[in-house]
Amino acid sequence: MKHLYFSAREFILSFSNFTSSKNRFFSPVLVLLFFVLESSLNAQEITIYPRSNMVLNGSVSLVINNAAFKNNGTFAAGNSTVNFSGHNDTSVSYLSGSNSTTFNNLSVSKSAYGVALKSAAIVNNILAVNAGNLYTDSNLTLHSDASLTARVDVIPSGSHIFGKANVERYIPARRAWRLMTAPVTNSNTIFKSWQHNGVYTAGKGTLVTGTNPTGAAGNGLDYSTQNTVSMKEFDYNTQQFVKVLNTKVAISSGINGSADNTGYFVFVRGDRDPANTVVPNMNNTTLNSIGAIQTGTQTFTASPVINNYTLIGNPYASPVDFNNVTRTNLIKRFYVWDPSLNVVGGYVMLDDLNNDGIFVKNVPASLQTKDIQSSQAFLVQTNANGPASITFNETSKSGNNNNLVFRPATPNTPAGFGTGAIMTTLNLLNTDKSTILADGVIAEFDNIYSAGIDMDDAVKFTNTNENISIVRNNVSLAAERRPASDINDTVFFKLATTTRRNYQFVFEVTGLEQPGIKGFLEDSYLGTSTIISLTGKSTINFSINADVASAATNRFRIVFKPAVSVLPVTLSSVKAYQKNKNIAVEWKVENELNMVKYDVEKSTDGTVFHPVNTTVVTGTNNAYNTYNWLDANAVQGNNFYRIKSYDINGAIKYSSIVKVAIGKSADGFSIYPNPVTDNVINLLMNNQQAGNYRIKLTNANGQIIFAKSIISNGGNSTEAINTGTKLSAGIYQLEIIGQDNKHDLRKVVVE
């Protein structure tokens, strides 16, 4: 970077008389300066006179050392950085002039004292106070437009910004709700800030409407034909958004300079043109937040009640990386409102449960990232009963300006989402086949997750328009986490707030390939079952019509079913279990008639099976037989096995699939597939003690319809239990009684 360095008694730019017909090299525009002037330490000033221009082309750095900058002409900053340095006080180091000065980057690097803004200063990109202080004198504006929003860089300890400033937030033409905040303290009122003091100026401010509006002379609320409420606050005691009925109050609730800003839910139609209260009118606007810029540590108190939510406004005029905030008794999860979704926006949940810095979104195509933007608000969730808070430090700031959060465009769906996930997107399907992203949910599968509902599962927040959620135990979820061993359970969807129109599901599945298992989207209204890919993307269109049943909230579900036939009832059980570093496979056969041999087939990638052992039948027409094989080449992770049988007529059939996971897995029992098929219940036993286990299967009336004992060799194992009788469709309970007489219940679904 080129540097222009000034340390002068007085340097005056006045080139307006340099242009002539004989010498056209000079012009009123100074293109580049390369002066190094070091003289007196008194009364130093760089002056741009009227009708004169100073232009900095390229990414140059203009260093003003112990000097003032007086702009009475025109200053064109380009991509430059203007840095005030030195040790003299504000009587020497200041900005002044009759014209406003627009900087690309403005920095203060004073070894003592600071810099005063005695005339209007506008920063387009980065404001950095690296050392010393900046005194704004209410002359600073952090600019925001369609391409860029200015931000305040990390401010080190001992440096400050004193005085008020105007923090802008550009909002494009879109009628949508937004979660917003004014990142200032000691602020002006809502009316003077976001309502532009009640004055209509094209592209400035917005209308804040509500019930019983009395305008500038009263409660500040603007009139609309419907008297609809367009601004709300969040009460974490009641867990409800409450109407803002008076805008003649401070836009930030505090004046102490520490976490004083308030979060709001605001419906922005455009600027203050009264025509914008009429649908579908809208236009671009810029909201001004006027007050002192918040710097240093900012700590917000959150709800002390488990599972409660708190609305937090980003306290800084800068993006913040959620990875770098300090959470006390809060889940590493946040909810935002994405204005690009559906008609007026929708909630998006992001969380990072394993703390690897990578966040999962329930709406994968949303443009929201882990970086919370300047003027953006978000909701956090309390982890347990007790004091809770979130703390922002200067090091929480991020340089990642995500313009698209406030400037919605067509989202792009990422290519993949990691292992063991179903990403479901709901689109509005237009007559021209174009789509509008409406909502989405995620189901993740891993043995680290519980089969019940806990903090790993993210509750669904209700959108204004269409909503899709996953339902478990009558709870609507934006993100459902369940054990990987239960991936063959049904995923139940809830589709709400629909209208009569065409829709589209997009399913993106990763890591759920199961040998012999296929996934189906079942539509209870049409009575159809459509296969979906377990290795990629599937798109399925559907419609809501005048029939009430077509809009049933429980119309859709994903069901996983075996894709191969199983052995006849002569196979009484198949199990596999970890034995030291190996895996033992055992299958028992009753009434073994006309069988020739059995192959043990193995899969390590969940897609392709290979024969690893052949066992010839011992004897003929045996009443009972048990076979064993030891896999001495077990791998870390999942090991899948199935038995392939051959009879004397050449017929080939396959058993159910059993799985053993070597490595870390959650303790307990689970059943897959569920719903069960062909009366075979696969019981997966994770990290269990060796010994005898009793199992009982009871129907909905509490009648025991099947019971037996099984012997576990300990560790991880799978028992394929054949009930031997035809089970009627319904819900059953499988009770497992262990060595310590502990009872575990698992639901079994039979279709």
Side-chain angles (χ1 to χ4, degrees):
M1 176 182 288
K2 299 182 179 70
H3 288 73
L4 306 180
Y5 184 89
F6 296 93
S7 180
R9 179 191 304 269
E10 183 176 21
F11 184 71
I12 301 174
L13 304 181
S14 181
F15 297 103
S16 58
N17 298 322
F18 279 26
T19 302
S20 69
S21 59
K22 294 182 179 180
N23 188 348
R24 299 189 180 276
F25 176 78
F26 295 97
S27 75
V29 178
L30 178 63
V31 179
L32 284 176
L33 301 174
F34 296 97
F35 290 94
V36 179
L37 304 176
E38 299 188 38
S39 57
S40 172
L41 298 178
N42 301 315
Q44 303 139 108
E45 185 177 279
I46 301 171
T47 302
I48 306 175
Y49 270 60
R51 300 188 307 279
S52 296
N53 300 275
M54 182 177 183
V55 178
L56 301 183
N57 280 340
S59 299
V60 298
S61 178
L62 172 61
V63 181
I64 303 174
N65 186 59
N66 286 330
F69 187 80
K70 187 174 184 178
N71 180 18
N72 292 327
T74 301
F75 175 69
N79 294 322
S80 70
T81 297
V82 176
N83 180 31
F84 284 86
S85 64
H87 60 273
N88 282 4
D89 63 24
T90 56
S91 64
V92 172
S93 188
Y94 59 85
L95 172 74
S96 66
S98 58
N99 294 333
S100 64
T101 305
T102 299
F103 300 95
N104 176 53
N105 298 323
L106 174 63
S107 64
V108 176
S109 302
K110 300 282 290 183
S111 57
Y113 302 107
V115 176
L117 302 179
K118 298 181 179 181
S119 63
I122 301 169
V123 178
N124 285 337
N125 189 20
I126 300 173
L127 172 65
V129 182
N130 301 315
N133 299 319
L134 176 65
Y135 300 88
T136 69
D137 292 341
S138 297
N139 284 316
L140 174 65
T141 295
L142 298 179
H143 181 62
S144 177
D145 58 30
S147 60
L148 188 63
T149 294
R151 64 181 177 87
V152 179
D153 205 357
V154 175
I155 297 180
S157 176
S159 294
H160 304 89
I161 298 176
F162 294 107
K164 289 190 175 183
N166 175 24
V167 181
E168 294 183 345
R169 168 50 68 185
Y170 172 85
I171 297 178
R174 181 176 173 84
R175 299 174 65 91
W177 287 93
R178 288 169 168 82
L179 285 175
M180 295 188 64
T181 190
V184 294
T185 179
N186 193 19
S187 67
N188 282 1
T189 64
I190 299 171
F191 184 77
K192 288 185 177 180
S193 297
W194 287 355
Q195 290 175 269
H196 201 55
N197 204 26
V199 177
Y200 169 68
T201 301
K204 296 291 184 180
T206 193
L207 296 164
V208 178
T209 58
T211 55
N212 302 315
T214 54
N219 58 21
L221 293 176
D222 295 301
Y223 172 80
S224 69
T225 304
Q226 301 82 12
N227 284 339
T228 52
V229 173
S230 67
M231 191 172 189
K232 302 177 183 180
E233 293 181 82
F234 188 75
D235 185 340
Y236 74 51
N237 293 310
T238 63
Q239 293 291 286
Q240 298 290 327
F241 279 102
V242 295
K243 302 174 182 178
V244 171
L245 300 178
N246 184 358
T247 61
K248 292 295 192 68
V249 297
I251 197 168
S252 292
S253 58
I255 61 173
N256 296 321
S258 179
D260 291 331
N261 57 301
T262 304
Y264 297 98
F265 198 31
V266 189
F267 188 74
V268 181
R269 311 164 176 94
D271 65 22
R272 292 188 54 77
D273 187 343
N276 284 333
T277 61
V278 180
V279 179
N281 296 335
M282 58 185 173
N283 58 12
N284 300 333
T285 191
T286 299
L287 302 187
N288 299 316
S289 299
I290 301 170
I293 295 174
Q294 294 189 132
T295 61
T297 300
Q298 306 285 323
T299 299
F300 295 84
T301 301
S303 171
V305 180
I306 184 173
N307 283 329
N308 272 10
Y309 298 89
T310 306
L311 181 61
I312 304 293
N314 177 0
Y316 296 136
S318 168
V320 170
D321 187 340
F322 196 75
N323 275 319
N324 297 330
V325 301
T326 300
R327 294 166 291 104
T328 301
N329 196 22
L330 296 175
I331 304 172
K332 195 176 183 183
R333 170 183 298 147
F334 65 95
Y335 291 81
V336 297
W337 184 273
D338 187 336
S340 71
L341 301 186
N342 214 310
V343 179
V344 295
Y347 283 107
V348 177
M349 183 282 306
L350 295 90
D351 63 10
D352 174 21
L353 297 185
N354 60 2
N355 203 34
D356 63 359
I358 300 173
F359 284 76
V360 172
K361 292 183 281 192
N362 71 302
V363 184
S366 169
L367 300 171
Q368 178 67 45
T369 68
K370 62 184 175 65
D371 296 302
I372 298 161
Q373 298 303 298
S374 172
S375 299
Q376 189 176 14
F378 57 97
L379 289 141
V380 293
Q381 183 179 2
T382 301
N383 192 45
N385 289 325
S389 63
I390 182 169
T391 298
F392 298 79
N393 292 298
E394 286 288 335
T395 53
S396 304
K397 290 179 177 177
S398 166
N400 295 325
N401 265 324
N402 182 359
N403 294 335
L404 296 177
V405 169
F406 283 94
R407 305 166 181 82
T410 302
N412 295 315
T413 303
F417 311 97
T419 301
I422 302 176
M423 304 294 297
T424 302
T425 298
L426 175 68
N427 292 326
L428 310 182
L429 181 61
N430 299 321
T431 54
D432 62 357
K433 305 304 180 184
S434 65
T435 59
I436 298 173
L437 178 63
D439 202 5
V441 289
I442 178 175
E444 291 189 296
F445 306 87
D446 196 301
N447 282 336
I448 64 174
Y449 299 128
S450 167
I453 294 179
D454 57 20
M455 288 297 184
D456 291 339
D457 303 293
V459 172
K460 173 69 177 181
F461 280 15
T462 302
N463 298 328
T464 303
N465 305 116
E466 283 81 358
N467 289 267
I468 185 173
S469 57
I470 297 173
V471 177
R472 181 149 49 100
N473 297 342
N474 294 319
V475 177
S476 295
L477 303 172
E480 180 194 29
R481 274 74 182 230
R482 60 171 74 182
S485 56
D486 288 335
I487 62 173
N488 297 307
D489 282 345
T490 301
V491 177
F492 296 93
F493 292 115
K494 179 180 179 181
L495 193 60
T497 332
T498 54
T499 60
R500 297 180 188 178
R501 61 164 301 138
N502 294 325
Y503 293 94
Q504 181 184 87
F505 280 131
V506 178
F507 301 104
E508 296 211 30
V509 185
T510 58
L512 298 188
E513 308 94 302
Q514 286 278 7
I517 298 292
K518 291 187 180 296
F520 300 87
L521 177 69
E522 293 190 348
D523 183 339
S524 62
Y525 173 65
L526 297 179
T528 58
S529 183
T530 306
I531 194 167
I532 63 172
S533 171
L534 297 185
T535 59
K537 180 186 291 186
S538 302
T539 301
I540 299 174
N541 299 335
F542 67 97
S543 299
I544 304 294
N545 55 38
D547 189 345
V548 175
S550 72
T553 58
N554 61 349
R555 175 176 167 179
F556 296 100
R557 63 180 182 176
I558 291 178
V559 178
F560 298 89
K561 298 179 180 179
V564 296
S565 61
V566 298
L567 278 174
V569 295
T570 52
L571 186 67
S572 60
S573 72
V574 178
K575 69 178 180 180
Y577 56 90
Q578 188 172 347
K579 189 174 183 179
N580 298 322
K581 295 182 179 180
N582 306 319
I583 295 177
V585 182
E586 176 182 296
W587 62 104
K588 296 180 180 180
V589 182
E590 297 177 356
N591 301 318
E592 189 181 49
L593 302 175
N594 302 320
M595 302 305 296
V596 177
K597 64 177 181 178
Y598 304 96
D599 283 348
V600 178
E601 294 188 341
K602 178 181 178 180
S603 173
T604 57
D605 62 1
T607 56
V608 180
F609 278 83
H610 299 285
V612 289
N613 169 264
T614 297
T615 299
V616 178
V617 170
T618 304
T620 58
N621 297 332
N622 296 298
Y624 179 86
N625 236 339
T626 298
Y627 298 93
N628 296 276
W629 175 73
L630 185 69
D631 183 3
N633 297 305
V635 299
Q636 288 290 313
N638 291 330
N639 296 262
F640 301 89
Y641 303 93
R642 68 183 181 189
I643 307 301
K644 183 178 181 181
S645 67
Y646 301 79
D647 68 16
I648 59 175
N649 297 316
I652 297 174
K653 293 185 178 180
Y654 293 89
S655 73
S656 299
I657 298 161
V658 292
K659 177 179 69 175
V660 175
I662 294 182
K664 183 179 179 180
S665 59
D667 298 348
F669 305 90
S670 54
I671 296 167
Y672 76 97
N674 202 3
V676 302
T677 57
D678 297 292
N679 304 308
V680 177
I681 300 172
N682 288 293
L683 177 62
L684 183 61
M685 308 172 71
N686 284 333
N687 298 331
Q688 297 302 305
Q689 295 179 352
N692 186 59
Y693 290 79
R694 292 172 291 153
I695 60 172
K696 293 189 294 185
L697 185 69
T698 58
N699 61 18
N701 297 322
Q703 299 170 317
I704 299 176
I705 59 175
F706 178 78
K708 69 173 297 183
S709 294
I710 56 177
I711 297 176
S712 171
N713 295 83
N716 298 340
S717 64
T718 301
E719 289 276 347
I721 304 164
N722 195 319
T723 61
T725 58
K726 177 66 175 178
L727 297 175
S728 301
I731 306 296
Y732 298 78
Q733 290 283 355
L734 183 69
E735 183 178 15
I736 307 108
I737 305 171
Q739 295 287 64
D740 54 0
N741 209 35
K742 180 180 178 181
H743 293 241
D744 285 272
L745 291 176
R746 292 293 180 270
K747 180 174 70 174
V748 178
V749 180
V750 177
E751 294 184 335

